[in-house]
Every structure is written in structure tokens, then in C-alpha cells.
Amino acid sequence: MNCRALVQSAVCVSLAALVAPALHAQANPRFGRWLLKSEAPAPASNIMTYEPFGASGMKVTIQSVNAKGDTTRWWYTTNFDGTDMPVTGNAGQTHASVRPVSPLVNEIVNKKDGAVTQRLTNVLSPDHNTIAVIYMREDTQGRTTGVTFATYLRIP
């Protein structure tokens, strides 16, 4: 291979490395940081971060700060295929799975040691600036024991 061909190859590889993440980010409007809309006084907060993972997946990171200022951080990855994936850093959850219901709606199933503990319906607004989440907790017989709602706003 001559010098010119080497330079052209290097330029192509460099451009691909720059463009591929941008194309991946455009593919999923959920990518970014999301702040829980809450009435809790500072320092309490909850931030979800969605970022690219693999060819078409997503890494989900949750960082919460309680009223005392104590921070917890946990995460998992998903390929949006309903496969259970390990959760790191959350004592109440060992696995999570995500499957799309529609382009704006995902179902998330949280498990602890193989048992479903919670089902979430995660809805992205049409303008891609708000995520509404319905949290349904389950007992060991699969009965819903509680339902809560949350709204997350995109952080610019």
C-alpha cells in the first residue's frame, strides 16, 4: 500500500470513528441526561443518564442524592431485546430487561434474584423533552402491590 492510500485509509477510519457515535446518538432520542421533577428540597435529586452502548444498545445510569446529601449510583446496559442484564450498584435489584412497546414506549422489568419486583412503563414525549414513568411494584405471586408515577425532564 502506498503512502497516499495509507493516508486515505487513516482519514476514513478517523471520520468513521467521529461519525458513528453521532449517528448512534441520533438513532435514540432518549440519549442524554434526565432530571426527576420533584418537590423535594435540595440536595435531594435523581438523574437518569442514557448513553450509547454497543451497536444499538443503551447504558442506563441512575444517580440519586437523598435529603442528607448521600449519593447512590447504579447502572445497567440493554440491547432493547427483553434480555435480563445484570444491574451494578443497586442492592434491591440484580437484573433489568428492556423491550420496546412502540417508538416512544419501553417496558422495563426489574428483578431481584430471578423474581420480578417491579414493572415500569417508560414513555418519551413526542417532543423528546419529557419522560413519564409508571412504576408498578409486584409481590412474589406477581400481584401489583403499589403504583407510583414520575416525570423526568431533559437536562440541556
Side-chain angles (χ1 to χ4, degrees):
M1 185 178 278
N2 66 31
C3 188
R4 182 177 180 174
L6 280 173
V7 169
Q8 286 175 336
S9 293
V11 168
C12 287
V13 168
S14 297
L15 286 174
L18 290 172
V19 172
L23 291 175
H24 189 76
Q26 290 174 357
N28 192 328
R30 292 175 189 274
F31 291 157
R33 295 179 62 218
W34 302 85
L35 176 66
L36 174 66
K37 186 176 175 183
S38 172
E39 301 295 322
S45 68
N46 182 300
I47 296 175
M48 292 189 306
T49 303
Y50 295 154
E51 56 193 325
F53 169 75
S56 60
M58 181 168 70
K59 179 179 179 185
V60 178
T61 304
I62 308 294
Q63 182 169 314
S64 297
V65 180
N66 68 17
K68 295 177 185 177
D70 299 325
T71 300
T72 58
R73 185 173 185 269
W74 57 277
W75 62 273
Y76 65 93
T77 59
T78 180
N79 286 314
F80 301 102
D81 60 2
T83 301
D84 286 350
M85 297 296 284
V87 172
T88 301
N90 185 340
Q93 182 181 348
T94 57
H95 290 83
S97 65
V98 181
R99 85 175 173 85
V101 176
S102 74
L104 297 177
V105 179
N106 287 336
E107 178 189 58
I108 302 163
V109 177
N110 294 331
K111 295 181 179 178
K112 171 130 175 120
D113 301 325
V116 173
T117 58
Q118 192 175 57
R119 292 182 192 276
L120 289 70
T121 303
N122 180 299
V123 182
L124 179 64
S125 65
D127 68 1
H128 301 166
N129 288 317
T130 304
I131 293 177
V133 184
I134 303 168
Y135 298 88
M136 296 170 286
R137 286 176 300 289
E138 290 188 11
D139 65 15
T140 54
Q141 282 74 46
R143 294 181 299 230
T144 301
T145 60
V147 178
T148 55
F149 304 88
T151 301
Y152 288 82
L153 305 173
R154 184 180 294 280
I155 300 172

